[in-house]
Amino acid sequence: MRIARSTRMGCIACMVTAFLLSTVAIGHASAVPETGTTKNKLTPSVTFTTPPLKTLTDSEVKNAIQSAKHLSKAFRHISNQLLPSVVAIENRTENSQTTGQTPNGMPSRGGVGSGVIIDPNGWIMTNNHVVAGAGSIIVRLHDGREFMAEQVMTDPKTDIAIVRIPNAKNLTAAKIGNSNGSYVGDWVLALGQPFGLESTVTAGIISAKGRGIGLSDSENHIQTDAAINPGNSGGPMVNLDGEVIGINTAISSSSGGSDGVGFAVPINLANWVANQLIDHGSVQRAFLGVGIQPITQKLADHFNVPPKQGLLITHVLPKSPAANAGVRTGDILLKFAEARVSAPNEFQTFVERAKIGQTYQLTINRNGTLQNLNCVPQSQPNRPAESGGKQMNTSHSNRTSSGRLGIRVGDFDSTVAGKMGIDATEGVLILAIQPGGQAHRAGMVPGMILTEVNHKKIESLSQFNQLMSELNLDESLLFLTKSQNGSQFVVIDS
């Protein structure tokens, strides 16, 4: 049906093109000046004809085919080299039931994913979501042997897990590469068991790097157009050197299958997690204690800096490593340990993998002045309990409205903020937002707390009213907001 539709559209396009050609030709002819006049002729009309297809010489054809064969041989070599390292992993529970059929008519069981052997002593890397739960983990090797895993260790924050199978001989470990040395446009292969079809290989390129897709807390994914489907999770992504550079983990799909947008955890991150699990039984992460956000063009205009160069500090936890180093809200972080930073997930990876207790240099821009600060990361504390999304009781709050901005705000106290899971003692609470208004278009929502406007602190409702009366509302305003999701600078356009 799609081909037929495209064909019809092609015919319509041909008729439109023919009409345009005839129209241009008529217009050009009618514009020819009469004999004896001094008018200049119009520029020749644009030609819409398709250039003739160049006929390749026998030598050119031979070279083109040879180049394609070279790439085919590379794919073949990598596949033969890597497939013995790729395993099928079944998370088998007592209630495991068939959930459908494979294309060859055989029943396929749920909870089947992929993995890759990273050590000949039986260590296998996969995804946390492949092995999560209370089931028995069954590993099936490329040669058909099956083993029940004796150790399973997981890290939900990166969706990485490692399992160990006992007494397995003659295992072929995959070669681990360097994901930092892979670039957008590089060829990659994805190996695994999509839809239960074992030993499947697909090819594509790296479409992007540093993707955050919201599936786990710590993300810095490689994006690829190599087909990744359900069942590929945990399998390796490899480069043309046959080295593992990622662990396939997710897809973006409207159909449930591959739409050409797949994601893999970079192997440098996955390998670090695996070593942490093997050495310590858990992942020991460092933290600085700051909130950050990328610098958009609107924020760049307010801070007088280039966009997408550095990260804006939105919050500094009291007594944290960042606070001890002298970092302030509103600073622009340019470098961490001499590495330039511009993406939040990239910076998060740098910090989490830093050595706890070691001194690192931070380069910041504070009001146009560059400064170097020394920071000593600490062990990442446990995440505080969620607030549960309780609503604020503001029935007795003093209130005021800002018609130009489309918001209504009121007083609050720290007790109320604490019940909402927001660490704030000063500011005003957004009670209501006018749909389609300036604040609504900027992304503000009821329940946010406004703590600054144009770098001036908001301590109370009366001070907010005073500041708003002094500001030029025909210019864009920069607010610092707090919510359950943390602190964020928001620009409201005039």
Side-chain angles (χ1 to χ4, degrees):
M1 184 63 71
R2 290 179 181 173
I3 296 176
R5 184 178 180 184
S6 299
T7 305
R8 289 198 300 271
M9 291 303 294
C11 293
I12 294 171
C14 290
M15 290 188 286
V16 171
T17 302
F19 173 75
L20 290 173
L21 283 172
S22 62
T23 303
V24 173
I26 293 170
H28 180 71
S30 62
V32 176
E34 297 177 1
T35 307
T37 62
T38 57
K39 293 181 180 179
N40 294 327
K41 292 184 178 181
L42 295 178
T43 0
S45 59
V46 178
T47 302
F48 291 92
T49 57
T50 303
L53 182 64
K54 179 185 176 182
T55 303
L56 299 179
T57 66
D58 290 344
S59 177
E60 289 174 327
V61 171
K62 184 177 180 180
N63 290 337
I65 294 175
Q66 197 62 36
S67 296
K69 284 185 175 180
H70 284 318
L71 183 59
S72 179
K73 287 179 180 178
F75 288 168
R76 186 190 315 156
H77 171 74
I78 297 166
S79 301
N80 291 335
Q81 179 182 347
L82 264 294
L83 281 174
S85 303
V86 180
V87 304
I89 296 179
E90 181 184 351
N91 192 342
R92 187 179 297 173
T93 65
E94 293 181 1
N95 297 323
S96 292
Q97 296 178 352
T98 59
T99 59
Q101 288 188 329
T102 61
N104 62 6
M106 297 297 291
S108 62
R109 285 173 291 192
V112 177
S114 306
V116 58
I117 301 170
I118 59 172
D119 186 281
N121 292 319
W123 287 109
I124 295 166
M125 186 180 293
T126 185
N127 284 141
N128 168 68
H129 73 262
V130 171
V131 299
S136 300
I137 305 303
I138 308 301
V139 176
R140 184 164 56 255
L141 304 183
H142 181 67
D143 60 14
R145 289 180 291 166
E146 289 191 2
F147 298 85
M148 180 178 292
E150 66 175 1
Q151 286 181 271
V152 179
M153 293 185 283
T154 66
D155 180 49
K157 285 191 174 183
T158 53
D159 196 24
I160 290 297
I162 55 172
V163 302
R164 189 177 188 184
I165 54 178
N167 305 318
K169 306 296 183 181
N170 303 318
L171 297 181
T172 302
K175 186 178 179 182
I176 303 299
N178 175 16
S179 50
N180 290 343
S182 298
Y183 301 94
V184 173
D186 286 355
W187 279 104
V188 289
L189 301 184
L191 297 87
Q193 335 289 334
F195 304 113
L197 300 171
E198 296 186 14
S199 304
T200 297
V201 182
T202 59
I205 64 169
I206 294 177
S207 307
K209 295 184 70 176
R211 291 295 197 209
I213 55 178
L215 290 181
S216 53
D217 293 339
S218 184
E219 297 183 328
N220 195 24
H221 289 120
I222 300 171
Q223 180 183 327
T224 181
D225 65 352
I228 295 176
N229 287 290
N232 271 116
S233 291
M237 172 188 288
V238 302
N239 59 22
L240 290 186
D241 293 319
E243 300 169 333
V244 179
I245 61 166
I247 299 297
N248 305 321
T249 190
I251 58 175
S252 176
S253 172
S254 58
S255 63
S258 174
D259 284 349
V261 183
F263 303 95
V265 178
I267 195 61
N268 289 16
L269 174 59
N271 206 38
W272 175 77
V273 168
N275 287 331
Q276 289 273 311
L277 292 173
I278 292 173
D279 294 341
H280 308 291
S282 63
V283 179
Q284 300 179 359
R285 292 179 167 87
F287 98 118
L288 296 184
V290 294
I292 54 175
Q293 74 181 101
I295 301 175
T296 62
Q297 182 63 63
K298 290 182 179 180
L299 291 173
D301 292 340
H302 273 272
F303 285 88
N304 196 28
V305 295
K308 299 183 72 173
Q309 293 188 26
L311 294 168
L312 184 55
I313 303 295
T314 62
H315 180 63
V316 181
L317 289 175
K319 300 181 181 180
S320 66
N324 296 336
V327 179
R328 301 177 189 173
T329 298
D331 287 344
I332 295 173
L333 177 64
L334 300 175
K335 293 181 181 179
F336 176 76
E338 297 302 322
R340 293 186 179 275
V341 294
S342 59
N345 49 1
E346 176 188 48
F347 173 65
Q348 180 185 6
T349 300
F350 287 160
V351 172
E352 289 184 344
R353 295 175 61 182
K355 291 185 178 180
I356 298 170
Q358 181 172 315
T359 301
Y360 293 86
Q361 186 179 86
L362 306 178
T363 301
I364 64 167
N365 178 343
R366 179 176 296 165
N367 300 323
T369 302
L370 297 182
Q371 297 185 29
N372 291 323
L373 305 176
N374 291 325
C375 187
V376 182
Q378 298 174 2
S379 179
Q380 191 175 97
N382 293 328
R383 176 183 294 180
E386 298 293 338
S387 65
K390 298 180 181 178
Q391 298 296 315
M392 288 191 177
N393 180 3
T394 58
S395 57
H396 301 292
S397 297
N398 293 322
R399 305 178 182 186
T400 190
S401 297
S402 178
R404 283 287 297 275
L405 302 183
I407 59 174
R408 188 168 82 247
V409 298
D411 277 326
F412 74 97
D413 57 41
S414 58
T415 302
V416 174
K419 290 180 180 179
M420 283 290 292
I422 304 175
D423 179 19
T425 58
E426 297 177 337
V428 293
L429 170 67
I430 298 179
L431 303 175
I433 295 284
Q434 176 186 344
Q438 292 176 334
H440 181 261
R441 292 196 302 269
M444 288 186 177
V445 295
M448 279 184 171
I449 294 174
L450 307 180
T451 61
E452 287 186 10
V453 57
N454 285 6
H455 305 291
K456 295 181 179 180
K457 285 188 176 182
I458 301 172
E459 297 178 352
S460 64
L461 182 61
S462 60
Q463 187 189 25
F464 172 80
N465 291 332
Q466 179 65 30
L467 289 171
M468 295 307 294
S469 67
E470 296 172 353
L471 293 170
N472 183 357
L473 299 186
D474 290 328
E475 298 178 352
S476 66
L477 302 178
L478 176 70
F479 285 91
L480 179 58
T481 68
K482 287 191 174 183
S483 69
Q484 292 175 325
N485 296 323
S487 300
Q488 184 179 25
F489 284 98
V490 176
V491 176
I492 294 184
D493 292 323
S494 57

